[in-house]
Amino acid sequence: MFFQNTEDTICAISTPAGAGAIALIRVSGDKALSIVSSLFSKNLLQVASHTAHFGRIKNQIEILDEVVVTVFKGPHSFTGEDLVEISCHGSRYIQTELVNLIISNGARAAGPGEFSLRAFLHKKMDLSQTEAIADLIAANSRAAHKLAMNQMRGGFANELQNVRANLLEFAALIELELDFSQEDVEFADRTQLRQLVANMIERISKLSDSFRIGNVIKNGVPVAIIGAPNAGKSTLLNALLNEDKAIVSEIPGTTRDVIEDVMLIDGVEFRFIDTAGIRETSDRIEILGIERSFEQIRKSSIILLLFDITTEKEDKILERIQQFRNQSVSADQALIPVFNKQDESSEENFKKLKDSGVFISAKTKENLNDLKQQILKAAGDFSDTQNSLIVTNARHYELLCKCLISLERIQLGLQDNLPGDLLSQDIRETIHYLGEITGEITGDEILGAIFSSFCIGK
Ligand code: GDP
């Protein structure tokens, strides 16, 4: 077992390291109440669940702190066990002393994610919901927050549990047929099974397709800003981020490094990458920068291709956009041509470009809002993320892909009238993968990998 024990009483600081105004210490397990009660100025053994109590915590020598103790009695607690939360003052000394005191009175220091593991083991949440807690804590945009909340409330796990139960019934019926193999009977209705499998393939394909959008929402949509030296890339990045992060200069080729920063547009997180100017060069440092630019372009979902309209001719610009689109943009990337320095050259001079991109002035910030709206549009329609189920977790995505492969095998097997024992093998495999997502089937190794990536106290 990768966790030492799942029955004893554990304790950890749940707030971030360092000194805040207050800190929260969690104690969970059979002895949580008796341990904290023995240190507290009030007897907690008989108090009602979900109550908070103000009092003092003492060690052998002195009063350590005045605290508020909140009592949650199992099974009606986050972990499903008796859970006590102590809100103490945020001094690091108090926090450490308090934890040591609780440990010396019979608790054990919790490992990473151990409170969440217990919530999972006591069936307070399925595995994908537990994973959503980690996402919720890490969420730093409205869209990512929505997705994590959605998943924490049950998300697609409920649906997967239902189809898994249906498949289990079919597997049982088909396996029953095997016991009567001499008699050529069919307990499992093949038409119904075919229908179920077809529905599942449709649904699971949608879910696995949603990973692309889920992943960018969770990690931020990568946007590359590219263009010739002096086109205004750094100025644009600064204008978007509203700070002087990149070095702006009038000597071509000064932005040698890839600069990355994040910003929120309408609650969606974008990661902006300002790349070294793309042009032919013999300067070694610049070559490195340019190679990195191509790498960044490949990794981006959205590419802003920037032109300086005070120095470039419109036919040439159109030609370059077309060339870039053909050579460097893949089907799942969005290209937004941006015509910069509008303040020095009227849009009227560039009628041919009118429908090919956005005119802006990075310097005067003219039309930046239009550009932001274009970027938001290019990222996809996030407005519906609250209602549709979106996969954000790479582990779930991988398992859904495996599910699809085995479901397609069942479908083919049904078409070819495969014998029951072979069908049942594929059905069992699908059931297994579905169970791994929700945690109905999990080995210690999988649990270990998931929970050890959590912080201590979570
Ligand atoms: P980069 O090499 O593409 O990163 O270009 P910079 O952002 O360093 O800008 C090059 C020069 O163009 C600087 O002198 C900027 O002040 C100037 N510049 C950038 N954007 C604009 C703009 O919208 N209008 C005008 N007039 N100048 C700009």
Side-chain angles (χ1 to χ4, degrees):
M1 187 75 192
F2 81 99
F3 284 113
Q4 315 169 32
N5 185 338
T6 50
E7 306 281 317
D8 56 358
T9 298
I10 51 172
C11 164
I13 304 169
S14 287
T15 33
I22 55 166
L24 189 93
I25 288 162
R26 264 178 173 170
V27 193
S28 180
D30 282 354
K31 291 198 280 180
L33 268 173
S34 60
I35 295 175
V36 179
S37 187
S38 70
L39 305 167
F40 194 53
S41 50
K42 175 175 169 184
N43 185 336
L44 296 169
L45 295 177
Q46 304 305 328
V47 302
S49 182
H50 293 69
T51 51
H53 307 270
F54 176 75
R56 289 177 302 277
I57 295 253
K58 295 175 295 237
N59 58 20
Q60 280 100 338
I61 318 161
E62 57 186 354
I63 292 170
L64 192 61
D65 195 11
E66 291 191 335
V67 300
V68 174
V69 171
T70 316
V71 173
F72 304 91
K73 292 193 175 169
H76 305 293
S77 70
F78 172 71
T79 53
E81 308 171 325
D82 282 350
L83 176 73
V84 180
E85 293 186 349
I86 306 172
S87 307
C88 62
H89 289 102
S91 123
R92 284 170 65 170
Y93 168 73
I94 294 177
Q95 295 180 47
T96 325
E97 277 296 303
L98 207 46
V99 167
N100 289 344
L101 199 57
I102 293 166
I103 289 174
S104 61
N105 277 273
R108 165 172 69 76
E114 228 181 324
F115 292 93
S116 305
L117 172 75
R118 291 194 175 189
F120 165 69
L121 293 176
H122 293 119
K123 303 202 178 341
K124 300 299 290 186
M125 292 185 180
D126 70 42
L127 197 55
S128 66
Q129 286 173 303
T130 321
E131 288 170 300
I133 299 178
D135 287 349
L136 185 67
I137 293 170
N140 41 17
S141 71
R142 194 176 69 226
H145 169 257
K146 255 189 206 171
L147 288 188
M149 282 301 281
N150 210 353
Q151 196 184 324
M152 208 171 70
R153 292 207 194 106
F156 52 81
N158 295 339
E159 191 181 329
L160 294 187
Q161 268 162 357
N162 290 340
V163 286
R164 184 170 179 272
N166 285 339
L167 270 185
L168 268 171
E169 259 172 51
F170 274 108
L173 289 175
I174 288 179
E175 281 154 22
L176 196 61
E177 288 170 9
L178 300 178
D179 294 340
F180 293 86
S181 53
Q182 310 299 342
E183 293 158 47
D184 196 23
V185 285
E186 270 193 9
F187 295 120
D189 184 329
R190 299 298 194 265
T191 317
Q192 276 182 15
L193 179 58
R194 197 169 293 133
Q195 190 57 46
L196 175 71
V197 169
N199 290 347
M200 283 178 74
I201 290 181
E202 194 191 325
R203 190 70 192 113
I204 292 183
S205 305
K206 273 208 185 109
L207 278 177
S208 62
D209 287 348
S210 74
F211 180 65
R212 205 183 77 83
I213 205 165
N215 195 40
V216 292
I217 291 180
K218 188 167 142 184
N219 298 316
V221 186
V223 184
I225 304 179
I226 65 160
N230 261 0
K233 298 180 294 298
S234 314
T235 314
L236 175 60
L237 184 72
N238 288 344
L240 286 168
L241 299 173
N242 257 332
E243 56 181 290
D244 284 335
K245 195 123 205 170
I247 319 147
V248 183
S249 94
E250 290 181 27
I251 312 153
T254 37
T255 314
R256 293 200 159 151
D257 241 351
V258 174
I259 298 171
E260 192 173 315
D261 223 321
V262 295
M263 72 174 290
L264 295 177
I265 303 178
D266 257 11
V268 179
E269 185 177 291
F270 290 87
R271 283 191 289 114
F272 280 88
I273 307 157
D274 174 27
T275 57
I278 305 265
R279 61 161 193 171
E280 306 257 314
T281 179
S282 55
D283 181 321
R284 275 195 46 127
I285 306 175
E286 239 189 270
I287 287 175
L288 285 179
I290 289 172
E291 275 169 8
R292 236 175 302 167
S293 306
F294 283 113
E295 170 87 29
Q296 296 303 334
I297 293 171
R298 273 192 296 278
K299 284 196 211 148
S300 304
S301 298
I302 299 174
I303 302 160
L304 304 184
L305 184 57
L306 201 61
F307 295 96
D308 174 351
I309 53 171
T310 62
T311 58
E312 301 196 62
K313 297 272 171 293
E314 52 187 334
D315 285 334
K316 188 84 191 149
I317 292 178
L318 283 173
E319 197 182 302
R320 296 236 335 257
I321 295 173
Q322 198 50 47
Q323 195 186 11
F324 192 83
R325 204 182 282 286
N326 295 341
Q327 288 174 1
S328 310
V329 184
S330 66
D332 57 355
Q333 289 176 312
L335 177 71
I336 307 178
V338 183
F339 310 125
N340 191 28
K341 311 200 185 178
Q342 189 192 15
D343 55 309
E344 284 198 357
S345 183
S346 160
E347 203 174 309
E348 292 308 302
N349 301 337
F350 290 90
K351 287 215 174 85
K352 280 192 200 161
L353 296 182
K354 215 164 71 51
D355 300 320
S356 304
V358 194
F359 283 87
I360 61 156
S361 165
K363 196 170 176 176
T364 64
K365 304 196 175 171
E366 217 171 312
N367 271 350
L368 274 195
N369 272 336
D370 278 5
L371 178 60
K372 284 187 190 172
Q373 289 313 312
Q374 292 272 343
I375 293 171
L376 194 62
K377 215 169 98 202
D381 186 6
F382 295 107
S383 54
D384 199 29
T385 48
Q386 190 156 29
N387 303 321
S388 55
L389 292 174
I390 289 182
V391 178
T392 54
N393 181 300
R395 192 184 73 84
H396 300 167
Y397 173 68
E398 262 173 45
L399 286 166
L400 287 172
C401 292
K402 286 184 181 167
C403 257
L404 267 184
I405 295 171
S406 48
L407 280 169
E408 278 159 6
R409 270 209 307 271
I410 304 175
Q411 202 171 40
L412 273 178
L414 283 168
Q415 262 168 32
D416 299 345
N417 281 325
L418 273 197
D421 52 345
L422 294 179
L423 267 186
S424 109
Q425 255 180 34
D426 289 330
I427 297 179
R428 287 279 169 199
E429 200 176 291
T430 316
I431 291 171
H432 181 89
Y433 293 138
L434 290 173
E436 271 194 38
I437 297 178
T438 55
E440 280 155 301
I441 301 171
T442 36
D444 282 355
E445 216 175 299
I446 299 174
L447 288 183
I450 294 170
F451 287 99
S452 57
S453 66
F454 282 40
C455 318
I456 289 178
K458 215 184 259 176

